[in-house]
Amino acid sequence: MSADPLHRAGAPPRTPTNPLPSGPGTSPIEVRRSARRRRTVSAYREGDRTVVLIPARMSEAEEQRWVSVMLDKLAAQESKRVLGDAELAERAERLSGQYFEGRARPASVRWVTNQNTRWGSCTPSEGSIRLSHRLQGMPEYVVDYVLLHELAHLLVPGHGPQFWRLLEAFPRTERARGYLEGVVAADRLPHVPGARSE
């Protein structure tokens, strides 16, 4: 993904590779400066990190602005991509490894079109996880949250304190739940599945 910032003037080049700090739950961001790059800015995912390529003479302020722009563009592009069942299963395996030490091992993970009142479901005795097709196209962190929610049910039945402690490991839990609550409110759908009753 690339963009043309129409950069005309800038500061002297800094180091060609500039890793940026990142907060919890975000992938590391690495800015790479190039003297050969004149006008365009581009970004792509490389493993766990996001790489942003910029002209070497771009100022720090311009760098920050374009990193933000490119992260937004990548997120928008990724949210439009629909994962297939195989990719969904791979994602569940990765999330289980990252947040549950690989202990949650579903036998199957798939999209279904018959869940209109819940975002996902899990049958622990069969090890099967089903996600509503309505999640397709939502931001990745929302899909990850629902997957983690269902993976947690493979380890802890019900929605007791131990279950919620498992989900605390995911740094975007509250944000994802807020997103889903907004969708529910906008669509006048039933409550967010798994929400704690206060």
Side-chain angles (χ1 to χ4, degrees):
M1 166 164 296
S2 64
D4 183 350
L6 299 174
H7 177 72
R8 302 246 182 250
R14 293 189 331 210
T15 57
T17 303
N18 179 30
L20 293 178
S22 57
T26 60
S27 64
I29 301 163
E30 181 179 323
V31 175
R32 296 180 186 167
R33 290 177 172 263
S34 168
R36 293 188 337 198
R37 186 174 286 270
R38 297 281 179 227
R39 299 167 55 101
T40 60
V41 174
S42 62
Y44 60 91
R45 304 284 190 211
E46 185 177 82
D48 289 2
R49 72 179 52 240
T50 301
V51 177
V52 181
L53 306 170
I54 64 172
R57 60 189 196 152
M58 190 173 275
S59 71
E60 286 193 42
E62 289 171 311
E63 173 185 313
Q64 288 179 357
R65 183 173 68 84
W66 278 99
V67 165
S68 177
V69 165
M70 297 312 288
L71 289 176
D72 288 346
K73 285 186 176 197
L74 275 175
Q77 183 182 58
E78 288 168 352
S79 72
K80 291 177 185 169
R81 199 181 120 224
V82 176
L83 301 173
D85 287 350
E87 292 171 303
L88 198 59
E90 288 172 13
R91 189 180 204 114
E93 184 179 343
R94 179 182 56 79
L95 288 167
S96 176
Q98 186 174 356
Y99 294 101
F100 303 147
E101 299 171 347
R103 293 179 296 131
R105 294 187 180 127
S108 67
V109 183
R110 62 191 173 92
W111 296 108
V112 293
T113 57
N114 63 351
Q115 290 191 11
N116 294 316
T117 59
R118 39 169 104 177
W119 298 112
S121 62
C122 174
T123 307
S125 62
E126 298 174 4
S128 62
I129 291 175
R130 296 159 303 281
L131 296 191
S132 171
H133 72 285
R134 294 178 299 127
L135 289 164
Q136 293 175 333
M138 289 189 187
E140 287 188 358
Y141 72 91
V142 175
V143 176
D144 285 352
Y145 165 73
V146 176
L147 261 176
L148 279 167
H149 183 106
E150 302 310 330
L151 285 166
H153 280 305
L154 293 175
L155 304 174
V156 178
H159 293 105
Q162 187 181 3
F163 174 86
W164 292 110
R165 275 194 296 277
L166 284 174
L167 288 180
E168 286 173 2
F170 184 57
R172 293 178 135 186
T173 289
E174 289 306 315
R175 184 175 177 189
R177 289 189 59 219
Y179 185 99
L180 292 172
E181 286 170 357
V183 170
V184 168
D187 291 345
R188 298 188 190 284
L189 294 173
H191 73 286
V192 175
R196 286 190 236 207
S197 301
E198 305 300 343

